[in-house]
Amino acid sequence: MNDKTAVARISTLLLLLGLAACDRGVEPRTDAAAPAEPTAAPATTEVYEGLLYGRVTMADGEFYEGRLRFGGNEEALWSNTFNAARPENPWVGHVPSSHRGRKGLSFEIFGIEINLGGDRNAFVRPFMARFGDIARIDARGRELRVTLRSGSVHELDRYGADDLADGLRVWDATRGVVDLGERRIRTIELFAPPPMEAVPRPLYGTVHTRHGVFTGLVQWDREECLVTDALDGMTDDGERSLRFETIRAIARRSRTSSLVTLLDGTEVELSGSRNAGDGNRGLYVDDARYGRVLVSWDAFERVEFSPGPVAPAYGAFAPGRALTGTVLTRSGDRLTGRLVYDLDESETTETLDAPLEGIDYTIPFARIASIMLPDRERRGARHATVILRSGEALQLERAGDLGDGNGGMLIFGADGRSPGYVPWADVRQIDFDGA
């Protein structure tokens, strides 16, 4: 995974170029063409509780309530993530000025190196949270305010890589299926749904990769996550669209094509689309061991779909608590207290993001016991050790949240006012407190 700072800068740069397309102020409308998402699978209350639900209030005070799907056909589950950009980093003020201009805060795009410098913007990080961890989203002008269930509030840039840009689809009990334009949405309140039937099952399966097997809820191409979604592509006979509820397995046949096995045993080769080949952005898998992983198209080999357990309901996501623990420095000092990791993550529901050979791990800090970094003498060491509370030790690459672009650690002591700061290069080990 690329350094978070670079991701935030690139996302903001590219998305601002397409601002006009993202902010057209589409009026809310009942969309007769919007799919009702019928499913051949038996509907149950438990399945429905795993799907997003809430109340959307518009600029004129009108509101809609029902099942939600962001972007019309994208995020639909509580375990899916909401992504946005922070305009600045509120933790930077605690960093000594001597550490704000360190090397390594630069990236290259189109062959041009961009130096991010040492000011407050050098430490800006993107925002990411599971929908199950969010209580409400407020939109005002250019700002988004996201309130987590823990009570913490995050001020975000509305036009910097947010998942609200493509609008919102609501299955309203009285109005039917309604598409709402992003521009007129003012508030989205998320909460557990009432009982309701005839809803689609989420995609669930086992994903085989070159570096391991992962099982859980699946989000194909980072979008399709329900059995009523479709896999599109070209065959020798022309265009083909296959609903996932008819698919038993998908194998990567080549960089540009997939071999699809249907429930009746029929095999169909699909190509010629991002969905089925080159350009596929990878598969999210909500693996119970790690939280969530993103399997790149290059690392992907095969996915086998199965009914699986129900998706987690809103109530399954406990509010986050302050991240606490002990930081051991390379000089032998031990600092204990409330932690801010990478000048960004400060709650247990936030995540450590790091790659391993084409697979990006997104692990909630609540699942991490320790992080151990290699000795300085081991120059060129490519991995760090992340020990999970389950006892499993992961050797993840020194990139993303484990890379040289990490902003370091803040440790707030008993007074809670004047934190100590440890640059990332000086961190030897971090031990996190348990529940």
Side-chain angles (χ1 to χ4, degrees):
M1 181 179 296
N2 293 330
D3 182 86
K4 284 185 175 181
T5 302
V7 172
R9 286 303 178 119
I10 295 171
S11 298
T12 301
L13 172 64
L14 297 180
L15 285 174
L16 284 176
L17 293 176
L19 178 59
C22 295
D23 189 27
R24 295 175 181 170
V26 180
E27 295 293 323
R29 61 185 176 85
T30 299
D31 189 351
E37 291 186 343
T39 177
T44 67
T45 299
E46 289 79 13
V47 170
Y48 182 77
E49 290 177 349
L51 302 181
L52 294 179
Y53 189 94
R55 180 182 297 111
V56 183
T57 303
M58 309 301 288
D60 58 5
E62 188 174 12
F63 71 89
Y64 301 81
E65 181 175 326
R67 182 161 68 87
L68 308 176
R69 192 158 192 187
F70 282 71
N73 290 302
E74 298 179 17
E75 293 83 7
L77 306 175
W78 295 114
S79 60
N80 293 164
T81 53
F82 179 79
N83 300 277
R86 303 179 193 271
E88 62 179 19
N89 189 329
W91 301 108
V92 175
H94 295 292
V95 178
S97 58
S98 59
H99 290 284
R100 297 183 192 176
R102 73 193 193 287
K103 297 180 180 179
L105 291 174
S106 64
F107 65 94
E108 185 174 299
I109 181 171
F110 306 133
I112 301 173
E113 184 175 1
I114 299 177
N115 187 354
L116 298 178
D119 60 9
R120 297 177 69 90
N121 290 331
F123 295 92
V124 170
R125 303 291 189 256
F127 174 85
M128 181 174 67
R130 299 173 300 185
F131 282 98
D133 295 321
I134 298 175
R136 62 184 289 152
I137 300 170
D138 293 285
R140 295 291 187 276
R142 297 185 58 85
E143 297 179 353
L144 280 179
R145 174 178 293 181
V146 175
T147 303
L148 300 183
R149 296 176 68 181
S150 66
S152 64
V153 177
H154 300 262
E155 303 288 348
L156 308 172
D157 179 1
R158 183 170 184 170
Y159 300 123
D162 76 277
D163 282 330
L164 189 57
D166 293 327
L168 185 66
R169 180 167 292 165
V170 185
W171 280 257
D172 186 273
T174 59
R175 298 176 176 87
V177 184
V178 182
D179 282 346
L180 304 177
E182 175 257 358
R183 192 170 184 176
R184 296 189 67 243
I185 293 174
R186 287 296 173 264
T187 301
I188 303 171
E189 301 168 86
L190 300 176
F191 46 86
M196 183 173 288
E197 298 180 351
V199 294
R201 289 186 291 107
L203 280 178
Y204 184 94
T206 297
V207 178
H208 300 261
T209 77
R210 293 186 285 114
H211 304 290
V213 177
F214 304 92
T215 298
L217 297 173
V218 175
Q219 198 170 0
W220 179 269
D221 192 22
R222 305 195 198 184
E223 289 187 5
E224 291 81 12
C225 59
L226 301 178
V227 296
T228 48
D229 292 337
L231 175 65
D232 301 319
M234 297 292 297
T235 69
D236 292 339
D237 298 323
E239 295 183 8
R240 191 80 181 267
S241 182
L242 303 171
R243 285 163 66 108
F244 279 93
E245 63 187 350
T246 69
I247 298 174
R248 176 185 300 166
I250 306 172
R252 183 183 187 273
R253 190 172 184 86
S254 71
R255 184 170 183 82
T256 60
S257 65
S258 298
L259 183 63
V260 182
T261 303
L262 303 181
L263 293 178
D264 62 6
T266 302
E267 293 186 338
V268 180
E269 183 174 351
L270 291 180
S271 61
S273 73
R274 187 198 76 186
N275 210 220
D278 194 26
N280 186 299
R281 296 171 298 166
L283 291 74
Y284 281 120
V285 187
D286 293 346
D287 190 294
R289 296 169 295 175
Y290 311 118
R292 172 170 263 212
V293 298
L294 174 61
V295 178
S296 69
W297 183 246
D298 287 338
F300 170 71
E301 291 183 340
R302 177 181 176 87
V303 57
E304 298 158 351
F305 295 110
S306 58
V310 298
Y314 190 57
F317 296 82
R321 56 179 177 78
L323 197 61
T324 60
T326 300
V327 177
L328 176 64
T329 71
R330 295 193 183 277
S331 62
D333 294 331
R334 301 178 68 88
L335 294 88
T336 298
R338 183 166 64 90
L339 307 179
V340 179
Y341 183 96
D342 188 22
L343 297 182
D344 183 19
E345 292 86 7
S346 61
E347 296 188 17
T348 53
T349 55
E350 296 184 272
T351 58
L352 175 80
D353 309 315
L356 179 63
E357 298 179 314
I359 299 168
D360 291 330
Y361 288 76
T362 301
I363 308 172
F365 278 94
R367 303 188 185 202
I368 300 175
S370 299
I371 297 173
M372 294 182 290
L373 301 173
D375 295 334
R376 283 178 174 174
E377 290 74 17
R378 294 175 56 194
R379 293 185 179 276
R382 297 181 56 248
H383 298 89
T385 302
V386 177
I387 301 178
L388 305 180
R389 298 207 175 276
S390 65
E392 182 177 358
L394 289 173
Q395 298 296 319
L396 299 181
E397 295 173 17
R398 294 289 306 277
D401 280 343
L402 295 173
D404 292 337
N406 187 301
M409 301 289 302
L410 291 176
I411 305 95
F412 288 83
D415 64 8
R417 293 191 302 271
S418 303
Y421 173 70
V422 180
W424 184 241
D426 295 341
V427 175
R428 181 185 184 90
Q429 182 171 328
I430 308 167
D431 297 318
F432 297 99
D433 294 338

